[in-house]
Amino acid sequence: GPDLLLADEPTTALDVTLQAQVLELLARLRTELGLAVLLITHDLGIVADTCDRVAVMHRGEVVETAEVDRLFSAPAHPYTRRLLASLPSACPPSPGEREGGAPLLEAVRLSREFVVRRGLLQRTQGVVRAVDRVDLTIRRGECLALVGESGSGKTTLGRCLIRLLEPTSGRVVFAGEDLLALRPRPLRALRRRFQMVFQDPSSSLDPRQKVGSILDEPLTLHSGLGPAARAERVKELLASVDLDADLAGRWPHELSGGQRQRVGIARALAAGPDLLIADEPASALDLSLRGQILDLLAGLRARLGLALLFISHDLGAVEQLADRVAVLYLGRIVEEASREDLFRRPQHPYTVSLLSAVPGRGRQRLVLHGEPPSPLAPPAGCPFHPRCPIQRARCAEETPSAAGGVACFYPGELTTVNIWGARA
């Protein structure tokens, strides 16, 4: 029965719907129990939505304290102003990358199933379809964002697209080549053209190798350069991600989280790819580092002409980077649209709920309660209908197709609710 609750980063690494549930719970406890809450967070959107007062810390000292409205409207300390400047803002879509852009990668009815076994005898309990008949196109030079709750199948889909996981069925065509039909040797030769940046920079870098060796390895495999040329290329790669050349002699554990992720990006760039798959590349970083990594990806994409598949549950980052957005729910794409259309006029109720849960937007929040259904026993009909605020009897009986870019029988209906702070 405390009077004060210390909540230390209670929503870090949660997707937006779980985050909204936790914040709603804290607000209810404050009201019902009269609790005072000290919320420790690096998410300024949460601060704007939930707090009364703010204390800003820098290097162990409180450098500014203010009412929340005054702090956001007129920050006094230079560090506070730098933090607020780190908040993501939308970039204009890249020129020449609209609907007519040439496809680089196409997935057709792509599926991935996992057999679930339990117990000492490893008896089969069922089959999970983590990716369920997905159709997806990534165009040359564009950024396609893949969003959805944790467990929606985003990472599995990303890995299936480049055969880090073998799909169960479907097709993947990259630059005219059917990836799933390639034998190991030609597949290995093509791999240099698509690379992946992983979510956790600590576990994705070999702790037994120094940074220089980590970056030299893909050059040895793919570039055909000699030792001296590779050493020079390592320096260029470090410079391309804004790291000093002397970091080549350090071990991964000697680097900060942001530096490790930059090394991971440099390693992915070493082979000269056309497509970069970035799987939650900034989710483990604080706000200022997150902004730096997103700016880095945007700059590299513009400079090198990279296509980018950006996997994230951070919709602020998606709004900053993406040209198009695909929304995944229980392994299926339920909506796909340009960034502008999706953020301004979301059509699927699930998309509306995701966007309304983003803190710091000043809009009415639509909180989805409960977890997504178990993929071992998905519901009949529309997979979203058990959680959908506008579901009808038809939704439990029929499965909507994604024709027109939205897998819903009643697209756009939920936007008539005052989710955005004004009538749609």
Side-chain angles (χ1 to χ4, degrees):
D3 300 309
L4 172 65
L5 183 67
L6 274 67
D8 185 6
E9 298 278 8
T11 62
T12 297
L14 298 182
D15 60 56
V16 288
T17 53
L18 289 175
Q19 176 177 275
Q21 292 176 26
V22 171
L23 295 176
E24 183 188 47
L25 173 62
L26 289 175
R28 179 162 53 81
L29 291 173
R30 282 183 63 196
T31 302
E32 294 177 356
L33 305 179
L35 278 175
V37 176
L38 176 62
L39 177 65
I40 301 170
T41 184
H42 60 249
D43 191 324
L44 292 179
I46 291 175
V47 171
D49 270 8
T50 62
C51 297
D52 302 311
R53 292 189 303 121
V54 190
V56 180
M57 291 195 72
H58 181 53
R59 296 185 176 179
E61 296 183 7
V62 174
V63 296
E64 183 170 0
T65 304
E67 300 291 325
V68 66
D69 291 338
R70 193 204 64 75
L71 184 120
F72 278 84
S73 62
H77 195 277
Y79 179 68
T80 308
R81 291 196 290 270
R82 289 202 303 272
L83 278 182
L84 293 175
S86 299
L87 287 170
S89 57
C91 300
S94 299
E97 289 155 14
R98 300 297 195 273
E99 294 296 319
L104 177 63
L105 182 145
E106 294 180 277
V108 181
R109 295 187 67 79
L110 194 68
S111 296
R112 169 67 196 208
E113 297 177 349
F114 295 94
V115 177
V116 178
R117 296 183 173 90
R118 289 181 181 149
L120 292 175
L121 299 179
Q122 289 290 286
R123 290 194 174 96
T124 299
Q125 298 293 304
V127 174
V128 170
R129 182 169 280 182
V131 177
D132 191 358
R133 292 162 292 185
V134 164
D135 294 327
L136 195 69
T137 299
I138 303 173
R139 302 184 180 95
R140 294 182 183 272
E142 78 164 347
C143 176
L144 173 66
L146 190 61
V147 304
E149 294 170 285
S150 298
S152 60
K154 303 187 299 296
T155 294
T156 302
L157 174 56
R159 295 185 178 210
C160 284
L161 290 174
I162 57 175
R163 281 188 69 180
L164 290 184
L165 281 174
E166 291 292 335
T168 305
S169 62
R171 295 179 68 228
V172 179
V173 178
F174 180 86
E177 295 274 5
D178 186 347
L179 288 188
L180 306 189
L182 289 179
R183 305 290 292 176
R185 187 181 295 273
L187 176 62
R188 192 178 305 117
L190 196 61
R191 277 200 182 279
R192 70 166 192 83
R193 298 184 61 186
F194 44 82
Q195 294 290 308
M196 193 161 189
V197 178
F198 297 92
Q199 179 174 359
D200 184 357
S202 299
S203 63
S204 66
L205 301 179
D206 188 343
R208 300 164 298 180
Q209 288 185 302
K210 291 184 177 180
V211 168
S213 296
I214 290 172
L215 298 182
D216 181 72
E217 190 170 36
L219 294 174
T220 303
L221 289 171
H222 296 296
S223 72
L225 298 174
R230 292 202 309 272
E232 191 62 31
R233 179 61 179 147
V234 166
K235 294 178 183 178
E236 293 173 0
L237 288 168
L238 289 171
S240 73
V241 294
D242 301 326
L243 292 176
D244 293 333
D246 61 5
L247 264 66
R250 295 194 191 177
W251 301 96
H253 72 268
E254 296 178 306
L255 307 181
S256 69
Q259 288 174 326
R260 283 193 291 266
Q261 193 58 290
R262 288 173 187 269
V263 172
I265 294 171
R267 179 182 58 185
L269 295 176
D274 300 310
L275 170 65
L276 198 63
I277 296 182
D279 185 9
E280 301 276 10
S283 65
L285 305 177
D286 64 37
L287 182 65
S288 58
L289 290 176
R290 186 184 311 171
Q292 292 172 23
I293 293 299
L294 296 178
D295 288 342
L296 174 64
L297 288 172
L300 289 170
R301 183 184 153 220
R303 189 165 70 249
L304 302 177
L306 286 170
L308 180 64
L309 177 63
F310 182 61
I311 300 172
S312 182
H313 60 248
D314 183 344
L315 293 177
V318 167
E319 190 175 17
Q320 179 179 350
L321 284 180
D323 297 312
R324 291 188 300 123
V325 185
V327 182
L328 203 66
Y329 185 79
L330 215 64
R332 304 179 187 181
I333 290 181
V334 296
E335 183 167 1
E336 185 176 344
S338 70
R339 180 192 67 191
E340 294 89 343
D341 286 345
L342 188 122
F343 276 83
R344 292 175 186 171
R345 295 177 295 275
Q347 298 297 298
H348 198 282
Y350 179 59
T351 309
V352 176
S353 68
L354 289 179
L355 293 175
S356 74
V358 177
R361 296 301 182 103
R363 63 171 73 106
Q364 178 183 333
R365 181 176 289 155
L366 173 67
V367 178
L368 286 180
H369 292 281
E371 302 287 336
S374 168
L376 267 174
C382 173
F384 184 60
H385 87 265
R387 305 170 75 196
C388 181
I390 62 168
Q391 62 93 16
R392 323 273 216 277
R394 179 186 184 188
C395 303
E397 298 166 356
E398 303 176 40
T399 302
S401 74
V406 187
C408 180
F409 294 121
Y410 310 102
E413 183 172 309
L414 192 57
T415 57
T416 61
V417 180
N418 192 17
I419 293 298
W420 303 101
R423 300 300 294 180

